[in-house]
Amino acid sequence: NMSLEPETAPAFESPDLTPSLLDFATGLPVANTIKELLTPKLLRKPFAGAPIDSAKGLAAKIKAQELDVKNRITAAEFLAEVDCRAYPNAQKQLIKLMIEDPSEEVRLAAVEALQVQFSRGLDCEKASKAEKRRYDTCRGCCTQEAIDAVYKVAYEMDPEFKDCLFEPSKRVRKAAAEAVEICRDLCKQRGMDPEPEPTPEPTPEPPAKKAEPAPKKA
């Protein structure tokens, strides 16, 4: 049986560096040493490459996520401009960032990206020729999944902590509420209901019919 290796934090990888004059003069890897010194401590050994289920590995993973915040924001801004009907996973990823990302800045960027998506479909007739080549210019991006998600972020409480809002950040909640209103306007135009659909009550199963006795022979 093959044993599964434990997940580890990202290993430190120093890029190829051109040796400096000091390298030649001292015979020491000065350029690489400088690079390591500029790398955050938690992304160097013994933290980098440590198992995730250890304190050092977890610290390295969290630090790497913190340093990656700008990249996730950039990704959200790019996905905002993607045709949400041609690439439905773009919206799903924005919803995932909005709901799950530990960074408040990233969650806000995701909500703002959804606002951009939701704004499509409001003025189909005024769209440019380039915009009319997109699927979402006419169809819009207010899917039921997305409406339910932003509504949850804007207004709902945490199901596990009844006295806590699901989204702790006031500005994220405000942005999500604005996203709901954008979809509300679009849905009014289309004659749709922008509110999240209530969970249907389970339909009780009908009682089983008793088997009738077989007719007696004459």
Side-chain angles (χ1 to χ4, degrees), residues 181-192:
E181 291 306 312
I182 294 172
C183 273
R184 193 186 303 277
D185 291 340
L186 177 63
C187 291
K188 284 180 180 177
Q189 289 183 11
R190 304 293 174 88
M192 298 162 56

Side-chain angles (χ1 to χ4, degrees), residues 83-95 98 114-115 117-121 135-136 138-152 179-180 182-184 186-187 190 192-197:
D83 187 326
C84 70
R85 296 292 179 173
Y87 302 99
N89 280 337
Q91 187 174 87
K92 291 182 183 297
Q93 287 299 322
L94 289 174
I95 293 172
M98 176 182 68
L114 287 168
Q115 286 183 1
Q117 285 195 346
F118 289 173
S119 65
R120 298 194 187 103
Y135 287 108
D136 59 1
C138 179
R139 293 168 175 81
C141 296
C142 288
T143 64
Q144 189 64 52
E145 179 185 7
I147 294 172
D148 289 348
V150 292
Y151 190 92
K152 178 178 183 177
V180 171
I182 294 172
C183 273
R184 193 186 303 277
L186 177 63
C187 291
R190 304 293 174 88
M192 298 162 56
D193 182 6
E195 299 292 341
E197 296 180 2

Side-chain angles (χ1 to χ4, degrees), residues 47-62:
F47 302 95
I52 292 297
D53 59 358
S54 69
K56 290 185 291 186
L58 181 59
K61 181 180 180 180
I62 293 173

Side-chain angles (χ1 to χ4, degrees), residues 10-13 33-48 59-60 62-68:
F12 171 74
E13 295 182 4
T33 301
I34 292 174
K35 171 62 181 176
E36 289 196 21
L37 290 174
L38 293 176
T39 300
K41 182 178 180 180
L42 290 173
L43 297 185
R44 305 198 305 259
K45 292 182 178 180
F47 302 95
I62 293 173
K63 185 63 177 178
Q65 286 181 337
E66 289 178 349
L67 294 176
D68 190 56

